[in-house]
Amino acid sequence: MPDLSVLQYDLVANLMSFCIAVMGAGAVFLFFARANVAPRYRPALLVSALVPAIACYHYARIAGSWAAAYVFQDGSYVASGVPFNDAYRYADWLITVPLLIIELIAVCALSKALAKSLTLRLSIAAALMIVLGYPGEIATSSGPAWLWWGLAMIPFLYILKVLFGEFGTALERQPERARPLIAKARTLILITWSFYPIAYLAPYMGLSGAAGEVGLQVGYTIADITAKVGLGLYIYFIARAKSEADNWDVSLTSDVDASHSRELVGAAE
Amino acid sequence: MPDLSVLQYDLVANLMSFCIAVMGAGAVFLFFARANVAPRYRPALLVSALVPAIACYHYARIAGSWAAAYVFQDGSYVASGVPFNDAYRYADWLITVPLLIIELIAVCALSKALAKSLTLRLSIAAALMIVLGYPGEIATSSGPAWLWWGLAMIPFLYILKVLFGEFGTALERQPERARPLIAKARTLILITWSFYPIAYLAPYMGLSGAAGEVGLQVGYTIADITAKVGLGLYIYFIARAKSEADNWDVSLTSDVDASHSRELVGAAE
């Protein structure tokens, strides 16, 4: 690990802590927002809540590993000798990236056969993308790094091809008010996910040392927040739009617990 | 404990952390997915959620014990002198293995007499299998290890005999769309559970030292994730298929608590 100034070390440590807070809050919001959408969209919101919950756990681990990897010495931060464990990011992505795909497909409530086929193919491709990326991440020379990068790009391009091809066609049958939201959610995936393969190559494109390490950690953290909580919020807005299109009224079951007491009151009247 | 390279130590530590995240997420998903199935299948899903919740707790203990058993020294990980506590695995299995059997029988909603008889016999056999395996796990020579392995295999083979015999016959009365899912869940048990007696013998079949220890920990962890969260998801899909076959509609009972109050209202009217 390269030596860091106090400003550099703190930027990463504070952003990781910020990320823990945003992921935790996002998970709780999405979890309880299930009550505001029709029952058929609730499993999609449940998965959307699990993703930042899992990331919150992993960022607690990542922040702990960052703190253990450095010691404060003579006005700056130097490597403590304990290796920084970046593999927590890959463990997180291996679970959450397939789940992000699953939440987007689930909220669309496509036909059973199409939903099953898309979920299976895209979640396997997503997992494969992460698994193939890891050997390149821990590679110490540019040859294997580029090789594994190239291999991981194959499932990534396949995911984009399906999302903008087959899945795009299926969108035409979605309610009018949900369609632009789904298209935006897909664009969010395209933009945020494209950040990772670029960041991955940064050390081999001249960005190394302290600036490279800080840039990488900052970039991954911002991309994770946007890809997970950002997409989760889109899933929520899509579910709301579709619930309205289904003529489902939030006051029918406005809240999981409130509905219980309201109906009891109704029964007593 | 054998000395380990950073890569070997990290592989086990990262996989254990990954397992904590998957078990935790699996437990939360299965717990709240109860709302998406007919009330009669909810107890099976509740048990399916408890299994990864219990495993999540035990993996936090196992990961803590793994971290305490090693110290980082001169570029590699050496035994700290604190023994690694593998007994947490057996404590976990003693609770979760009978519960896995119970969730599979419960979701089938068999006749009361058959369900009771199968649950009793198979959960006792499952507990016996774990209890008999433990003395062999802590044995230091191959004689007792093989002896206890052989004894533990008796209840295991009995479980397989019942699952593929008596229980198989009962399956014929299950709804058509649920049958292939139940058969797959049973195959998952056969494959994942068979891994444990093989892994158990690995040290006596030439796999020892660092590679043996790492292989054992990795194998047990992957088998646990598949056997617990994998089976739990099958139980969920079986419950969904059976709810549909019962003509139960998710929008009828949007939520576990809401359905309760609606029924109270119905009773009051």
Side-chain angles (χ1 to χ4, degrees):
Chain A
M1 301 298 286
D3 289 2
L4 301 179
S5 71
V6 172
L7 214 67
Q8 287 173 322
Y9 173 87
D10 277 353
L11 176 63
V12 174
N14 289 333
L15 193 62
M16 284 172 175
S17 167
F18 174 81
C19 181
I20 293 170
V22 175
M23 295 290 190
V28 172
F29 175 80
L30 292 165
F31 183 81
F32 288 102
R34 288 176 307 140
N36 306 325
V37 304
R40 62 190 310 210
Y41 307 115
R42 289 182 188 165
L45 274 192
L46 181 55
V47 176
S48 304
L50 284 178
V51 167
I54 294 165
C56 186
Y57 162 76
H58 281 118
Y59 267 91
R61 290 255 185 200
I62 293 168
S65 177
W66 182 257
Y70 280 100
V71 280
F72 185 68
Q73 211 169 60
D74 302 329
S76 72
Y77 280 92
V78 298
S80 68
V82 180
F84 174 60
N85 188 352
D86 232 0
Y88 288 130
R89 294 197 180 281
Y90 279 81
D92 179 72
W93 295 334
L94 190 55
I95 315 171
T96 56
V97 175
L99 291 181
L100 287 169
I101 289 283
I102 289 170
E103 69 188 59
L104 180 64
I105 296 169
V107 82
C108 290
L110 305 170
S111 75
K112 230 173 222 184
L114 181 61
K116 196 178 164 182
S117 154
L118 284 175
T119 302
L120 199 70
R121 284 182 286 141
L122 293 184
S123 58
I124 289 174
L128 205 62
M129 173 174 83
I130 306 304
V131 169
L132 290 172
Y134 188 62
E137 176 81 37
I138 58 169
T140 47
S141 65
S142 72
W146 278 98
L147 171 73
W148 292 106
W149 180 87
L151 290 174
M153 282 303 279
I154 300 169
F156 181 42
L157 293 175
Y158 174 75
I159 292 169
L160 293 181
K161 180 179 161 279
V162 174
L163 278 185
F164 286 84
E166 212 174 327
F167 179 73
T169 318
L171 285 192
E172 281 155 30
R173 259 169 275 146
Q174 294 289 312
E176 210 176 320
R177 63 186 105 184
R179 239 177 287 156
L181 289 168
I182 298 171
K184 277 183 198 161
R186 195 174 52 171
T187 309
L188 183 85
I189 289 182
L190 170 67
I191 295 172
T192 55
W193 291 25
S194 294
F195 176 80
Y196 299 91
I198 299 169
Y200 178 103
L201 287 178
Y204 305 101
M205 293 170 82
L207 246 181
S208 62
E213 184 63 37
V214 170
L216 195 70
Q217 296 304 326
V218 167
Y220 275 157
T221 308
I222 293 173
D224 272 352
I225 292 173
T226 320
K228 292 175 164 90
V229 179
L231 189 74
L233 290 176
Y234 267 117
I235 300 297
Y236 172 60
F237 295 132
I238 294 166
R240 283 281 292 236
K242 294 194 72 171
S243 299
E244 280 168 25
D246 293 352
N247 288 319
W248 181 83
D249 184 354
V250 66
S251 66
L252 286 176
T253 44
S254 62
D255 184 85
V256 168
D257 304 311
S259 69
H260 175 64
S261 52
R262 186 170 41 252
E263 281 166 18
L264 283 179
V265 171
E269 272 166 9
Chain B
M1 301 296 288
D3 290 1
L4 301 179
S5 72
V6 173
L7 215 68
Q8 287 173 323
Y9 173 86
D10 277 352
L11 176 64
V12 174
N14 289 331
L15 194 62
M16 285 172 175
S17 167
F18 174 80
C19 181
I20 292 170
V22 175
M23 295 291 190
V28 172
F29 177 81
L30 291 165
F31 185 80
F32 289 99
R34 286 174 307 140
N36 307 324
V37 304
R40 63 190 307 210
Y41 307 114
R42 287 180 189 166
L45 272 193
L46 182 56
V47 176
S48 306
L50 285 177
V51 167
I54 294 164
C56 183
Y57 161 75
H58 280 118
Y59 268 91
R61 289 260 183 196
I62 293 168
S65 176
W66 182 256
Y70 280 99
V71 279
F72 185 68
Q73 211 169 61
D74 302 328
S76 73
Y77 281 91
V78 297
S80 68
V82 181
F84 174 60
N85 187 355
D86 231 1
Y88 288 130
R89 295 196 179 281
Y90 279 81
D92 179 74
W93 295 335
L94 190 55
I95 316 172
T96 56
V97 175
L99 291 182
L100 287 170
I101 288 285
I102 289 170
E103 68 188 57
L104 181 65
I105 296 169
V107 83
C108 289
L110 305 170
S111 75
K112 232 173 220 179
L114 181 60
K116 193 178 165 184
S117 153
L118 284 176
T119 302
L120 199 70
R121 284 182 286 142
L122 293 184
S123 57
I124 289 175
L128 206 62
M129 173 173 82
I130 306 304
V131 169
L132 290 172
Y134 189 61
E137 175 81 36
I138 56 168
T140 47
S141 65
S142 72
W146 277 98
L147 172 70
W148 292 106
W149 179 87
L151 290 174
M153 282 302 279
I154 300 170
F156 180 42
L157 293 174
Y158 174 74
I159 292 168
L160 293 181
K161 179 179 161 281
V162 173
L163 279 185
F164 286 83
E166 212 174 326
F167 179 74
T169 317
L171 284 193
E172 280 154 33
R173 259 168 274 145
Q174 293 289 310
E176 209 176 319
R177 64 185 104 186
R179 237 178 288 156
L181 289 168
I182 299 171
K184 276 182 197 162
R186 195 174 54 172
T187 308
L188 183 85
I189 290 181
L190 170 68
I191 294 173
T192 55
W193 292 25
S194 293
F195 176 81
Y196 298 91
I198 298 170
Y200 177 104
L201 287 178
Y204 305 101
M205 292 170 83
L207 247 181
S208 61
E213 184 62 36
V214 171
L216 195 69
Q217 297 303 327
V218 168
Y220 275 157
T221 308
I222 293 174
D224 273 353
I225 292 173
T226 319
K228 292 175 164 86
V229 178
L231 190 73
L233 290 177
Y234 267 116
I235 301 295
Y236 173 60
F237 294 132
I238 294 166
R240 285 279 291 234
K242 293 194 74 170
S243 299
E244 280 169 25
D246 293 353
N247 287 319
W248 180 84
D249 184 353
V250 67
S251 65
L252 287 177
T253 44
S254 61
D255 185 87
V256 167
D257 303 313
S259 70
H260 175 63
S261 56
R262 190 163 34 250
E263 280 164 21
L264 286 177
V265 172
E269 273 167 5

PDB file of all heavy atoms in Angstrom, chain A residues 239-261:
ATOM      1  N   ALA A 239     -42.194   0.475  -9.467  1.00  0.00           N
ATOM      2  CA  ALA A 239     -43.237  -0.298  -8.772  1.00  0.00           C
ATOM      3  C   ALA A 239     -44.431   0.588  -8.429  1.00  0.00           C
ATOM      4  O   ALA A 239     -45.582   0.155  -8.525  1.00  0.00           O
ATOM      5  CB  ALA A 239     -42.658  -0.956  -7.515  1.00  0.00           C
ATOM      6  N   ARG A 240     -44.175   1.842  -8.038  1.00  0.00           N
ATOM      7  CA  ARG A 240     -45.257   2.788  -7.749  1.00  0.00           C
ATOM      8  C   ARG A 240     -46.064   3.071  -9.022  1.00  0.00           C
ATOM      9  O   ARG A 240     -47.303   3.024  -9.002  1.00  0.00           O
ATOM     10  CB  ARG A 240     -44.670   4.114  -7.230  1.00  0.00           C
ATOM     11  CG  ARG A 240     -44.217   4.070  -5.795  1.00  0.00           C
ATOM     12  CD  ARG A 240     -45.375   4.191  -4.838  1.00  0.00           C
ATOM     13  NE  ARG A 240     -45.945   5.518  -4.907  1.00  0.00           N
ATOM     14  CZ  ARG A 240     -46.107   6.352  -3.894  1.00  0.00           C
ATOM     15  NH1 ARG A 240     -45.744   5.955  -2.680  1.00  0.00           N
ATOM     16  NH2 ARG A 240     -46.625   7.542  -4.047  1.00  0.00           N
ATOM     17  N   ALA A 241     -45.342   3.356 -10.122  1.00  0.00           N
ATOM     18  CA  ALA A 241     -46.019   3.669 -11.387  1.00  0.00           C
ATOM     19  C   ALA A 241     -46.863   2.484 -11.848  1.00  0.00           C
ATOM     20  O   ALA A 241     -48.001   2.649 -12.301  1.00  0.00           O
ATOM     21  CB  ALA A 241     -44.986   4.039 -12.448  1.00  0.00           C
ATOM     22  N   LYS A 242     -46.322   1.274 -11.721  1.00  0.00           N
ATOM     23  CA  LYS A 242     -47.054   0.094 -12.161  1.00  0.00           C
ATOM     24  C   LYS A 242     -48.241  -0.207 -11.237  1.00  0.00           C
ATOM     25  O   LYS A 242     -49.291  -0.656 -11.695  1.00  0.00           O
ATOM     26  CB  LYS A 242     -46.120  -1.118 -12.258  1.00  0.00           C
ATOM     27  CG  LYS A 242     -45.062  -0.951 -13.351  1.00  0.00           C
ATOM     28  CD  LYS A 242     -44.364  -2.251 -13.680  1.00  0.00           C
ATOM     29  CE  LYS A 242     -45.281  -3.185 -14.442  1.00  0.00           C
ATOM     30  NZ  LYS A 242     -44.594  -4.353 -14.969  1.00  0.00           N
ATOM     31  N   SER A 243     -48.077   0.053  -9.942  1.00  0.00           N
ATOM     32  CA  SER A 243     -49.188  -0.149  -9.001  1.00  0.00           C
ATOM     33  C   SER A 243     -50.342   0.772  -9.368  1.00  0.00           C
ATOM     34  O   SER A 243     -51.505   0.365  -9.345  1.00  0.00           O
ATOM     35  CB  SER A 243     -48.741   0.138  -7.568  1.00  0.00           C
ATOM     36  OG  SER A 243     -47.712  -0.728  -7.188  1.00  0.00           O
ATOM     37  N   GLU A 244     -50.010   2.024  -9.720  1.00  0.00           N
ATOM     38  CA  GLU A 244     -51.050   2.983 -10.129  1.00  0.00           C
ATOM     39  C   GLU A 244     -51.719   2.523 -11.421  1.00  0.00           C
ATOM     40  O   GLU A 244     -52.943   2.599 -11.556  1.00  0.00           O
ATOM     41  CB  GLU A 244     -50.449   4.373 -10.324  1.00  0.00           C
ATOM     42  CG  GLU A 244     -50.255   5.110  -9.004  1.00  0.00           C
ATOM     43  CD  GLU A 244     -49.402   6.362  -9.166  1.00  0.00           C
ATOM     44  OE1 GLU A 244     -49.366   6.915 -10.288  1.00  0.00           O
ATOM     45  OE2 GLU A 244     -48.771   6.774  -8.181  1.00  0.00           O
ATOM     46  N   ALA A 245     -50.912   2.052 -12.358  1.00  0.00           N
ATOM     47  CA  ALA A 245     -51.465   1.566 -13.629  1.00  0.00           C
ATOM     48  C   ALA A 245     -52.386   0.364 -13.407  1.00  0.00           C
ATOM     49  O   ALA A 245     -53.313   0.137 -14.165  1.00  0.00           O
ATOM     50  CB  ALA A 245     -50.329   1.208 -14.588  1.00  0.00           C
ATOM     51  N   ASP A 246     -52.107  -0.416 -12.347  1.00  0.00           N
ATOM     52  CA  ASP A 246     -52.954  -1.574 -12.005  1.00  0.00           C
ATOM     53  C   ASP A 246     -54.199  -1.136 -11.230  1.00  0.00           C
ATOM     54  O   ASP A 246     -54.951  -1.991 -10.739  1.00  0.00           O
ATOM     55  CB  ASP A 246     -52.187  -2.566 -11.108  1.00  0.00           C
ATOM     56  CG  ASP A 246     -51.030  -3.239 -11.827  1.00  0.00           C
ATOM     57  OD1 ASP A 246     -50.913  -3.066 -13.056  1.00  0.00           O
ATOM     58  OD2 ASP A 246     -50.249  -3.944 -11.161  1.00  0.00           O
ATOM     59  N   ASN A 247     -54.373   0.176 -11.019  1.00  0.00           N
ATOM     60  CA  ASN A 247     -55.472   0.706 -10.199  1.00  0.00           C
ATOM     61  C   ASN A 247     -55.411   0.215  -8.777  1.00  0.00           C
ATOM     62  O   ASN A 247     -56.418   0.083  -8.095  1.00  0.00           O
ATOM     63  CB  ASN A 247     -56.848   0.353 -10.802  1.00  0.00           C
ATOM     64  CG  ASN A 247     -57.095   1.170 -12.034  1.00  0.00           C
ATOM     65  OD1 ASN A 247     -56.789   2.363 -12.060  1.00  0.00           O
ATOM     66  ND2 ASN A 247     -57.621   0.533 -13.063  1.00  0.00           N
ATOM     67  N   TRP A 248     -54.210  -0.075  -8.318  1.00  0.00           N
ATOM     68  CA  TRP A 248     -54.043  -0.470  -6.920  1.00  0.00           C
ATOM     69  C   TRP A 248     -53.923   0.803  -6.109  1.00  0.00           C
ATOM     70  O   TRP A 248     -53.184   1.724  -6.454  1.00  0.00           O
ATOM     71  CB  TRP A 248     -52.795  -1.332  -6.758  1.00  0.00           C
ATOM     72  CG  TRP A 248     -52.587  -1.788  -5.345  1.00  0.00           C
ATOM     73  CD1 TRP A 248     -53.168  -2.855  -4.741  1.00  0.00           C
ATOM     74  CD2 TRP A 248     -51.742  -1.181  -4.361  1.00  0.00           C
ATOM     75  NE1 TRP A 248     -52.751  -2.962  -3.446  1.00  0.00           N
ATOM     76  CE2 TRP A 248     -51.866  -1.946  -3.182  1.00  0.00           C
ATOM     77  CE3 TRP A 248     -50.898  -0.078  -4.351  1.00  0.00           C
ATOM     78  CZ2 TRP A 248     -51.183  -1.641  -2.016  1.00  0.00           C
ATOM     79  CZ3 TRP A 248     -50.213   0.227  -3.189  1.00  0.00           C
ATOM     80  CH2 TRP A 248     -50.355  -0.543  -2.033  1.00  0.00           C
ATOM     81  N   ASP A 249     -54.675   0.878  -5.045  1.00  0.00           N
ATOM     82  CA  ASP A 249     -54.704   2.095  -4.252  1.00  0.00           C
ATOM     83  C   ASP A 249     -53.918   1.891  -2.963  1.00  0.00           C
ATOM     84  O   ASP A 249     -54.153   0.940  -2.227  1.00  0.00           O
ATOM     85  CB  ASP A 249     -56.176   2.433  -3.937  1.00  0.00           C
ATOM     86  CG  ASP A 249     -56.296   3.751  -3.188  1.00  0.00           C
ATOM     87  OD1 ASP A 249     -55.252   4.327  -2.823  1.00  0.00           O
ATOM     88  OD2 ASP A 249     -57.431   4.182  -2.973  1.00  0.00           O
ATOM     89  N   VAL A 250     -52.985   2.789  -2.731  1.00  0.00           N
ATOM     90  CA  VAL A 250     -52.124   2.668  -1.550  1.00  0.00           C
ATOM     91  C   VAL A 250     -52.937   2.658  -0.262  1.00  0.00           C
ATOM     92  O   VAL A 250     -52.552   2.021   0.719  1.00  0.00           O
ATOM     93  CB  VAL A 250     -51.047   3.786  -1.536  1.00  0.00           C
ATOM     94  CG1 VAL A 250     -51.662   5.170  -1.350  1.00  0.00           C
ATOM     95  CG2 VAL A 250     -50.007   3.524  -0.460  1.00  0.00           C
ATOM     96  N   SER A 251     -54.116   3.323  -0.258  1.00  0.00           N
ATOM     97  CA  SER A 251     -54.887   3.384   0.992  1.00  0.00           C
ATOM     98  C   SER A 251     -55.511   2.032   1.344  1.00  0.00           C
ATOM     99  O   SER A 251     -55.988   1.827   2.453  1.00  0.00           O
ATOM    100  CB  SER A 251     -55.969   4.450   0.893  1.00  0.00           C
ATOM    101  OG  SER A 251     -56.908   4.059  -0.065  1.00  0.00           O
ATOM    102  N   LEU A 252     -55.499   1.091   0.357  1.00  0.00           N
ATOM    103  CA  LEU A 252     -56.035  -0.236   0.652  1.00  0.00           C
ATOM    104  C   LEU A 252     -55.181  -0.926   1.702  1.00  0.00           C
ATOM    105  O   LEU A 252     -55.681  -1.511   2.648  1.00  0.00           O
ATOM    106  CB  LEU A 252     -56.051  -1.100  -0.624  1.00  0.00           C
ATOM    107  CG  LEU A 252     -57.127  -0.753  -1.640  1.00  0.00           C
ATOM    108  CD1 LEU A 252     -56.967  -1.618  -2.874  1.00  0.00           C
ATOM    109  CD2 LEU A 252     -58.508  -0.950  -1.035  1.00  0.00           C
ATOM    110  N   THR A 253     -53.870  -0.894   1.490  1.00  0.00           N
ATOM    111  CA  THR A 253     -52.947  -1.428   2.497  1.00  0.00           C
ATOM    112  C   THR A 253     -51.791  -0.448   2.562  1.00  0.00           C
ATOM    113  O   THR A 253     -50.733  -0.690   2.019  1.00  0.00           O
ATOM    114  CB  THR A 253     -52.418  -2.821   2.117  1.00  0.00           C
ATOM    115  OG1 THR A 253     -52.083  -2.791   0.735  1.00  0.00           O
ATOM    116  CG2 THR A 253     -53.374  -3.912   2.436  1.00  0.00           C
ATOM    117  N   SER A 254     -52.064   0.685   3.193  1.00  0.00           N
ATOM    118  CA  SER A 254     -51.070   1.747   3.187  1.00  0.00           C
ATOM    119  C   SER A 254     -49.847   1.334   3.965  1.00  0.00           C
ATOM    120  O   SER A 254     -48.747   1.689   3.651  1.00  0.00           O
ATOM    121  CB  SER A 254     -51.654   3.009   3.782  1.00  0.00           C
ATOM    122  OG  SER A 254     -52.008   2.749   5.120  1.00  0.00           O
ATOM    123  N   ASP A 255     -50.057   0.568   4.977  1.00  0.00           N
ATOM    124  CA  ASP A 255     -48.909   0.145   5.766  1.00  0.00           C
ATOM    125  C   ASP A 255     -49.180  -1.227   6.344  1.00  0.00           C
ATOM    126  O   ASP A 255     -50.296  -1.554   6.726  1.00  0.00           O
ATOM    127  CB  ASP A 255     -48.654   1.140   6.886  1.00  0.00           C
ATOM    128  CG  ASP A 255     -47.413   0.767   7.647  1.00  0.00           C
ATOM    129  OD1 ASP A 255     -46.332   1.153   7.225  1.00  0.00           O
ATOM    130  OD2 ASP A 255     -47.558   0.047   8.641  1.00  0.00           O
ATOM    131  N   VAL A 256     -48.113  -1.957   6.412  1.00  0.00           N
ATOM    132  CA  VAL A 256     -48.203  -3.331   6.881  1.00  0.00           C
ATOM    133  C   VAL A 256     -48.884  -3.405   8.247  1.00  0.00           C
ATOM    134  O   VAL A 256     -49.753  -4.224   8.478  1.00  0.00           O
ATOM    135  CB  VAL A 256     -46.776  -3.919   6.920  1.00  0.00           C
ATOM    136  CG1 VAL A 256     -46.746  -5.229   7.663  1.00  0.00           C
ATOM    137  CG2 VAL A 256     -46.256  -4.095   5.498  1.00  0.00           C
ATOM    138  N   ASP A 257     -48.504  -2.527   9.158  1.00  0.00           N
ATOM    139  CA  ASP A 257     -49.080  -2.577  10.494  1.00  0.00           C
ATOM    140  C   ASP A 257     -50.349  -1.724  10.604  1.00  0.00           C
ATOM    141  O   ASP A 257     -51.299  -2.097  11.270  1.00  0.00           O
ATOM    142  CB  ASP A 257     -48.061  -2.104  11.527  1.00  0.00           C
ATOM    143  CG  ASP A 257     -46.805  -2.926  11.429  1.00  0.00           C
ATOM    144  OD1 ASP A 257     -46.938  -4.160  11.408  1.00  0.00           O
ATOM    145  OD2 ASP A 257     -45.727  -2.343  11.329  1.00  0.00           O
ATOM    146  N   ALA A 258     -50.335  -0.560   9.907  1.00  0.00           N
ATOM    147  CA  ALA A 258     -51.467   0.353  10.003  1.00  0.00           C
ATOM    148  C   ALA A 258     -52.746  -0.313   9.500  1.00  0.00           C
ATOM    149  O   ALA A 258     -53.811  -0.143  10.074  1.00  0.00           O
ATOM    150  CB  ALA A 258     -51.197   1.618   9.210  1.00  0.00           C
ATOM    151  N   SER A 259     -52.619  -1.110   8.431  1.00  0.00           N
ATOM    152  CA  SER A 259     -53.810  -1.724   7.862  1.00  0.00           C
ATOM    153  C   SER A 259     -54.471  -2.635   8.889  1.00  0.00           C
ATOM    154  O   SER A 259     -55.674  -2.755   8.959  1.00  0.00           O
ATOM    155  CB  SER A 259     -53.447  -2.525   6.620  1.00  0.00           C
ATOM    156  OG  SER A 259     -52.688  -3.651   6.990  1.00  0.00           O
ATOM    157  N   HIS A 260     -53.644  -3.231   9.697  1.00  0.00           N
ATOM    158  CA  HIS A 260     -54.135  -4.132  10.726  1.00  0.00           C
ATOM    159  C   HIS A 260     -55.041  -3.372  11.703  1.00  0.00           C
ATOM    160  O   HIS A 260     -56.192  -3.726  11.914  1.00  0.00           O
ATOM    161  CB  HIS A 260     -52.938  -4.725  11.461  1.00  0.00           C
ATOM    162  CG  HIS A 260     -53.300  -5.574  12.628  1.00  0.00           C
ATOM    163  ND1 HIS A 260     -53.995  -6.743  12.491  1.00  0.00           N
ATOM    164  CD2 HIS A 260     -53.065  -5.417  13.940  1.00  0.00           C
ATOM    165  CE1 HIS A 260     -54.177  -7.281  13.684  1.00  0.00           C
ATOM    166  NE2 HIS A 260     -53.624  -6.500  14.579  1.00  0.00           N
ATOM    167  N   SER A 261     -54.512  -2.244  12.217  1.00  0.00           N
ATOM    168  CA  SER A 261     -55.281  -1.499  13.211  1.00  0.00           C
ATOM    169  C   SER A 261     -56.495  -0.834  12.575  1.00  0.00           C
ATOM    170  O   SER A 261     -57.560  -0.785  13.170  1.00  0.00           O
ATOM    171  CB  SER A 261     -54.394  -0.461  13.895  1.00  0.00           C
ATOM    172  OG  SER A 261     -53.761   0.326  12.933  1.00  0.00           O
TER     173      SER A 261
END
